[in-house]
Amino acid sequence: MLEQYIIRGGNPLVGEVEIGGAKNAALAILAASIMTDESVIIENLPNVRDVSVLLQAMEAIGVVIERLDKHTVKINGSMIHDLTIDKDYIKKIRASYYLLGALLGKYKKAEVALPGGCNIGSRPIDQHIKGFRALGAEVKIAHGMIQTEAERLTGSHIYLDVVTVGATINIMMAAALADGKTIIENAAKEPHVVDVANFLNSMGANIKGAGTDVIRIKGVEKLHKTTYSVIPDQIEAGTFMFAAAVTKGDIMIKNVIPKHLESISAKLIEIGCEVEEFDDAVRVVCSKRLRHTQVKTLPYPGFPTDMQPQIGVALALSEGTSIVTESIFENRFKYVDELSCMGANIKVEGNTAIIEGVSKYTGAKISAPDLRAGAALVLAGLAADGITVIDDIMYIERGYEEFHIKLQSLGAQIDKVTSEKEIQKFKLKTG
Ligand code: EPZ
């Protein structure tokens, strides 16, 4: 039997939890760290599966990787002997496309298997390609690979047609080592875009304006060594904030940047929670039935698409009718069927979910459809009456480090099990 989570719901989660480094910042920073021949040390790296997969792919092309401890890695990209990354496993993670920008910038050539990642809708890469072409690279897609090559990269003025985190970061990386100036307009403003720019600057790049709509990059000849600590994970933090909301708990979420959590805090306050901000922590307290609201996912500083399933789970338990509109990815309501098995009353029409709040969930046997939907269903299980068993938790482990252990430390009755015997044991222990 594959690993499952088993949960006995009903306990309010109370206590303190430490948030790790941001997965989506870390993946881009790891790829960018090969852009110098000197050694780079990355700290506050989340120990999650997507990170291990990317490190494995980097090792396969000759990058020397030394794990200094669970959250620190030393990377040296001076021995890269292969600019082609076509291993099957790399298709599993979307962030493999960051190796395109990094290798193209450094070696003016790269070939990477078309990216996969969570199946949350169609995920085109036209804006990445448009950016590389604007910098003077040729880009071809053949045999399931994206191939890109340039004699030289030249700075350019690029207007992105959609706000995309991936393309903004990829173009920023390649342009950091191009000749001359690049301007990216309509750039993504997510905290991890800023973190990658700060990281590249710490290696000697000249990038200004990250965090605004317009990023200006002056190409430099080469990059040098650095030691850099990844920012805290906005989505992991947001997930624990909603864990407090749905279990009527009281959680102090530590090692966060409260500014990055503002859109999440605002919605929690709207639905009836108390949110207290500290320098590097937020406390979420919820003591009464939640209220309905409306929410639409948007690029930062809007409400993140990666938090849509978690707020959906909270609103389905709230008083009244709520409306959730998903405007970034079309296939992010896959948790709705699972949640319906637990008693939720939700109708999805196109990119909108109409939610009639119910007063409780009941435990059920469900599956994690993708990373964030999976985490949201864990929250539902924690709020539900009785036992919930969740399959396919490898999706959740792509992006949450020791999720069940952190939840246990807050008083949740949750365990990872691999056999019917362990399930029975859990039921007896918690019954
Ligand atoms: C990143 O995906 C994250 N993944 C996602 O996190 C996250 O949901 C997303 O950003 C939005 O914040 C990684 O960082 C590895 P986008 P990405 O490019 O880069 C369209 C998670 O759960 N688009 O910002 O793929 C696209 O279809 C994952 O941790 C184009 O049209 O997202 C989408 O509608 C899931 N053309 C929108 O832009 C392109 O060339 C935003 O996508 C690129 C994107």
Side-chain angles (χ1 to χ4, degrees), residues 18-177:
E18 285 273 341
I19 298 306
K23 175 195 69 128
N24 289 341
L27 292 169
I29 286 172
L30 288 175
S33 68
I34 64 159
M35 294 176 70
T36 169
D37 279 345
E38 297 177 10
S39 290
V40 168
I41 294 177
I42 313 290
E43 300 167 342
N44 203 31
L45 200 63
N47 191 20
V48 294
R49 212 162 51 97
D50 276 13
V51 163
S52 317
V53 173
L54 182 63
L55 287 173
Q56 205 182 336
M58 287 163 54
E59 245 173 351
I61 58 166
V63 179
V64 179
I65 290 164
E66 210 182 315
R67 286 262 188 189
L68 301 182
D69 64 43
K70 211 158 111 190
H71 299 123
T72 313
V73 74
K74 187 170 174 188
I75 292 172
N76 186 291
S78 64
M79 312 273 274
I80 292 176
H81 50 67
D82 196 351
L83 302 177
T84 303
I85 296 153
D86 63 352
K87 297 282 181 300
D88 262 353
Y89 58 78
I90 198 66
K91 294 184 194 150
K92 293 194 197 120
I93 65 163
R94 185 103 196 132
S96 54
Y97 58 38
Y98 287 135
L99 290 168
L100 272 175
L103 292 171
L104 179 67
K106 189 176 179 198
Y107 299 105
K108 314 297 176 237
K109 187 173 173 181
E111 196 172 337
V112 176
L114 275 165
C118 279
N119 178 18
I120 53 177
S122 108
R123 300 181 75 176
I125 49 160
D126 56 306
Q127 300 303 306
H128 302 239
I129 294 174
K130 172 176 159 171
F132 294 153
R133 287 197 174 129
L135 295 173
E138 267 184 47
V139 186
K140 272 197 311 201
I141 297 189
H143 312 293
M145 306 286 288
I146 312 169
Q147 303 161 339
T148 177
E149 190 165 2
E151 218 145 83
R152 53 191 281 243
L153 295 175
T154 318
S156 178
H157 197 141
I158 300 159
Y159 194 102
L160 294 175
D161 301 308
V162 288
V163 179
T164 133
V165 174
T168 302
I169 292 178
N170 235 342
I171 297 168
M172 209 163 68
M173 293 199 289
L177 288 175

Side-chain angles (χ1 to χ4, degrees), residues 2 55 92 126 130 178 182 239 271 299 322 328 346 371 417 426:
L2 291 172
L55 287 173
K92 293 194 197 120
D126 56 306
K130 172 176 159 171
T182 295
T239 303
I271 63 176
S322 297
I328 312 288
I346 305 177
L371 164 58
V417 290
F426 176 87

